[in-house]
Amino acid sequence: MSDKIRVRFAPSPTGPLHIGGARSALFNWLFARKRQGDFIVRIEDTDVERSNLVSEEVILEDLKWMGLDWDEGIQVGGEKGPYRQRERLEIYDSYWKRLLEEGKAYYCFCTEEELEEERESLRKKGEMPRYLGKCRDLTQAERDKLREEGRKPVVRFKVTWGETITVEDLIRGRVNFESDGIGDFILVRSDGMPTYNFAVVIDDALMEITHVIRGEEHLSNTPRQMMIYRALGFKMTSFAHISLILGEDRTKMSKRHGATAISQYRKMGYLPEALVNFLALLGWAPEGEREMFTLHELVEEFSLERVSRSAAVFNFRKLNWMNGEYIRESSPERIRDMAIPYLQEEGLVDEKISSQDYQWLKEVIALLQEQLEYVSQVVTHIKVFFGDEIEELSPEGAEMLEDEQARQIVQRFREECIQVESWDKETIKGIFKRIGKELGAGGKKLFQPVRVGLTGTLQGPDLQSLIILLGREKVANRLQNTLHNLTKNTQC
RNA sequence: GGCCCCUUGGUCAAGUGGUUAAGACACCGGCCUUUCACGCCGGUAACAGGGGUUCGAAUCCCCUAGGGGUCACCA
């Protein structure tokens, strides 16, 4: 045994990996990597009703997608396994039996109704609803009798009253709790399954976890867990409770605030490094003013001391900005490859892409990528590159083409396009030059009519690049169609 | 309701007794550009309130208010 730091991420596989869990995992991972410690992933699946293997898979995939790896745990193994709580049942058994023998725990036969009644009356008195220990002093005979009646007992921890439990939290400092406010809590359910508070202690202690870094919602559970550590004579771990992530209405982030699952961001085409960078900045701040960091750089910068105590609102706009930054820095090839599935889904490109189209797409993406916030947006931006007709003539565009000269420019531009021998930037430039000279137009007056004729709007990607990538045929067809529709409309 | 945590601009946040109270997103303005976007430059905007302590408080203490979490045979 060494003084090596060991931290863990212990999700319960009852759904996808959420923003909050992802950030907890990230902070644990960063802490481990920074301090050359071990990062362990354990599955907390004692909730038989809700746990499922699919969720487990999804969570693990999302962690990997974020770039997090683990030294020990599920899938990779290790000496302190197994790493799925359902496979550790015998281990828990030995510990709760020991507590029972030492008189530190006891069987409780109370029914759900009895408990609810007790809670309700305490609530009415303005006290903390909790179990007051009714079954603490049951005799063996009484227990046998209740068992014969068919009651299935739970095992409760016997809380010592009149005690102050102090959590030395690495982020929050000292936090005191009175044991009188904590009722005898359940260690083992009537079906023999350990509860979270019990299993988590056994696992953290046996896996020699040195630092428990988790969400603030666990802070009030900590005194219970500390009591178990003590009762069993385990070495206490350090605790660090990170603040919650809130939605825009300042309540705990949930589905109604928008996308909360990591997989949703992945599906929308967010880059993992952007999401990770953004998450790192929620509740933690680096030393300088820089805020773009790779995972590797985050490891260098990270420290628990700079984790903030207050809750943070998840700001989608900033995430989008940051993701856009990462998209702009990415190679067109990468963004293209990410974009293809969305384009296929829209039917814009074939399932099987020719190498020519593949190349073409790269150039199109290179033009588009600066305005993307996330990759799936590509399907709307890329529409201008498809079809022989413009999607829709905008009012501003229509107004522009009311001008006689503008229409002439479009007409002439089309004619030149058809006649010209080659199809490259120089050629297109030459056409514009010629027409400009011929009709005495330049700048906006020269370029915008063509843009409108080609796209229907006043804005879009660089015009010359657009023309090249559209190809001669589409350019000619679109301009003709636009002109045709225009005259048709004016005649009516 | 009891217990616990939190409180710097709309949002993320720096700040740890003396600062013109950083920076980023968003917003507004300007520049660049054939347009949009990108980029660049600039601007609006904050210490929840009240008491102390101190020569001096965003920073330390107390109270109030507000927000959040938690009180399960869920984690």
Side-chain angles (χ1 to χ4, degrees), chain A residues 422-442:
Chain A
S422 48
W423 192 254
D424 52 42
K425 269 206 163 154
E426 279 310 304
T427 312
I428 304 300
K429 224 185 214 167
I431 297 177
F432 274 120
K433 226 175 214 169
R434 238 172 292 142
I435 298 176
K437 214 165 174 187
E438 180 187 315
L439 299 176

Side-chain angles (χ1 to χ4, degrees), chain A residues 217-234:
Chain A
E217 69 267 31
H218 291 291
L219 184 55
S220 46
N221 273 322
T222 309
R224 282 173 248 266
Q225 292 165 18
M226 288 175 72
M227 289 178 201
I228 301 174
Y229 272 91
R230 284 192 203 160
L232 254 14
F234 287 143

Side-chain angles (χ1 to χ4, degrees), chain A residues 227-242:
Chain A
M227 289 178 201
I228 301 174
Y229 272 91
R230 284 192 203 160
L232 254 14
F234 287 143
K235 184 166 182 278
M236 194 68 68
T237 67
S238 297
F239 293 97
H241 289 94
I242 59 185

Side-chain angles (χ1 to χ4, degrees), chain A residues 340-341 344-345 349-353:
Chain A
I340 285 172
Q344 287 171 332
E345 200 175 326
V349 302
D350 296 333
E351 285 304 311
K352 188 113 175 56
I353 302 166

Side-chain angles (χ1 to χ4, degrees), chain A residues 50 60 64 80 114 126 138 145 205 238 257 299 310 391 406 424 431 467 486:
Chain A
R50 298 193 298 149
L60 265 17
K64 290 177 200 163
K80 308 279 197 301
E114 289 169 324
L138 251 34
K145 185 166 170 273
S238 297
H257 293 109
V299 170
S310 49
E391 266 203 6
D424 52 42
I431 297 177
I467 289 166
L486 223 51

Side-chain angles (χ1 to χ4, degrees), chain A residues 165-193:
Chain A
I165 310 286
T166 303
V167 180
E168 300 278 357
D169 192 280
L170 261 26
I171 293 168
R172 271 146 230 287
R174 296 197 161 160
V175 184
N176 297 318
F177 293 89
E178 301 304 323
S179 70
D180 289 0
I182 299 170
D184 292 347
F185 53 92
I186 293 174
L187 261 20
V188 185
R189 301 183 246 246
S190 50
D191 64 357
M193 275 288 185

Side-chain angles (χ1 to χ4, degrees), chain A residues 273-290:
Chain A
E273 58 267 44
L275 195 61
V276 161
N277 195 156
F278 178 74
L279 247 27
L281 260 25
L282 266 192
W284 171 81
E287 243 168 281
E289 284 179 1
R290 191 152 76 102

Side-chain angles (χ1 to χ4, degrees), chain A residues 121-169:
Chain A
S121 85
L122 280 169
R123 240 190 293 264
K124 264 185 208 143
K125 280 197 286 182
E127 284 186 55
M128 184 150 159
R130 76 207 117 105
Y131 183 67
L132 293 174
K134 194 158 122 197
C135 294
R136 267 192 185 200
D137 303 311
L138 251 34
T139 63
Q140 186 58 45
E142 285 171 314
R143 283 200 288 267
D144 290 344
K145 185 166 170 273
L146 286 160
R147 247 186 239 276
E148 272 167 35
E149 286 175 17
R151 291 211 195 180
K152 287 245 194 305
V154 298
V155 177
R156 282 184 189 272
F157 184 81
K158 195 182 280 180
V159 173
T160 308
W161 288 326
E163 218 180 15
T164 301
I165 310 286
T166 303
V167 180
E168 300 278 357
D169 192 280

